[in-house]
Amino acid sequence: DATITSWRGIEGAITAAKAGHDAVLSPSPTLYFDHRQGAGDSEPPGRLDVMDLKTIYGFDPVPTEIPAAQQHHVLGLQANLWTEHVRTEERAAWMTFPRASAVAEIGWSTKGASDFNGFVDRVIPQMARMHDLGLNAATSTFEVKPDVDYTPGSGSVTVSLANQAGLKMRYTVDGSAVGAKSPVYAGPFEAKLPFELKAEAVHDGRGVPG
């Protein structure tokens, strides 16, 4: 009649369920929110392995290794935030949200990892609500990351842009604010030196804070 919390990976939950015990999945590193959400300088301190929003959403709450007849033994999920690297309430909120929203959705719904784009559509309005409530939710998923390839003496660079959510991006290279008429990123482009890059992810025609 024991209930197992499986935190050293998922193997404990699989073994428990097969043996007829209930289990809660709480595996490290995937559901340990003390891992950083990105590798950029804007991320607060945390464990070095990156556990981004898409990785959390892609976690399977019922491992396929558990036979159908024993899957009812999986009671649910638990995410954890250890705070030896998280010294303030603001950082704790950043590390927790919106990843906790992903855990809630995969735990309570039948949507699979293939619905990540739909999850992004749903979580962006929630992010706005969190902001209005003063909750410092992480924008790591929507932050545009530039990569610059420079050949000495060429007078220009090749710029590539990406964001974790896979959203469309707009950019400028003259330091001006990004707007609805700014170029849409379609692939690596050349920029003459010197330049000042500004870029943002776009969702439903609007810029997403990142």
Side-chain angles (χ1 to χ4, degrees), residues 36-44 50 94 139-148 159-165 167 169-170 185 189 197-201 210:
R36 303 176 83 201
Q37 298 174 79
D41 294 337
S42 61
E43 289 294 319
V50 172
W94 177 280
T139 57
S140 313
T141 301
F142 314 109
E143 183 177 354
V144 176
K145 294 291 187 181
D147 183 68
V148 178
V159 181
S160 301
L161 304 177
N163 66 86
Q164 293 177 3
L167 293 176
M169 295 168 285
R170 292 185 180 275
Y185 178 74
F189 60 90
L197 175 70
K198 291 189 177 181
E200 64 181 21

Side-chain angles (χ1 to χ4, degrees), residues 62-79:
V62 183
T64 56
E65 295 89 342
I66 299 176
Q70 279 79 44
Q71 289 182 0
H72 68 280
H73 284 298
V74 177
L75 301 181
L77 306 175
Q78 174 180 301

Side-chain angles (χ1 to χ4, degrees), residues 103-147:
V103 171
E105 181 156 309
I106 64 175
W108 287 103
S109 76
T110 58
K111 298 180 183 298
S114 60
D115 194 48
F116 179 71
N117 291 337
F119 172 70
V120 169
D121 290 338
R122 291 185 288 278
V123 82
I124 287 177
Q126 298 301 326
M127 294 281 288
R129 294 186 178 100
M130 292 176 195
H131 179 270
D132 290 345
L133 291 170
L135 189 65
N136 185 43
T139 57
S140 313
T141 301
F142 314 109
E143 183 177 354
V144 176
K145 294 291 187 181
D147 183 68

Side-chain angles (χ1 to χ4, degrees), residues 20 23 39 49 54 69 82 86 90 96 101 110-112 116 123 126 137 146 182 189 206:
D49 290 339
K54 188 172 185 179
W82 303 101
V86 182
E90 184 178 41
T96 303
S101 300
T110 58
K111 298 180 183 298
F116 179 71
V123 82
Q126 298 301 326
S182 301
F189 60 90
R206 298 181 179 180

Side-chain angles (χ1 to χ4, degrees), residues 81-95:
L81 176 62
W82 303 101
T83 55
E84 63 263 47
H85 300 292
V86 182
R87 303 300 177 87
T88 66
E89 294 288 342
E90 184 178 41
R91 284 184 180 176
W94 177 280
M95 300 298 272

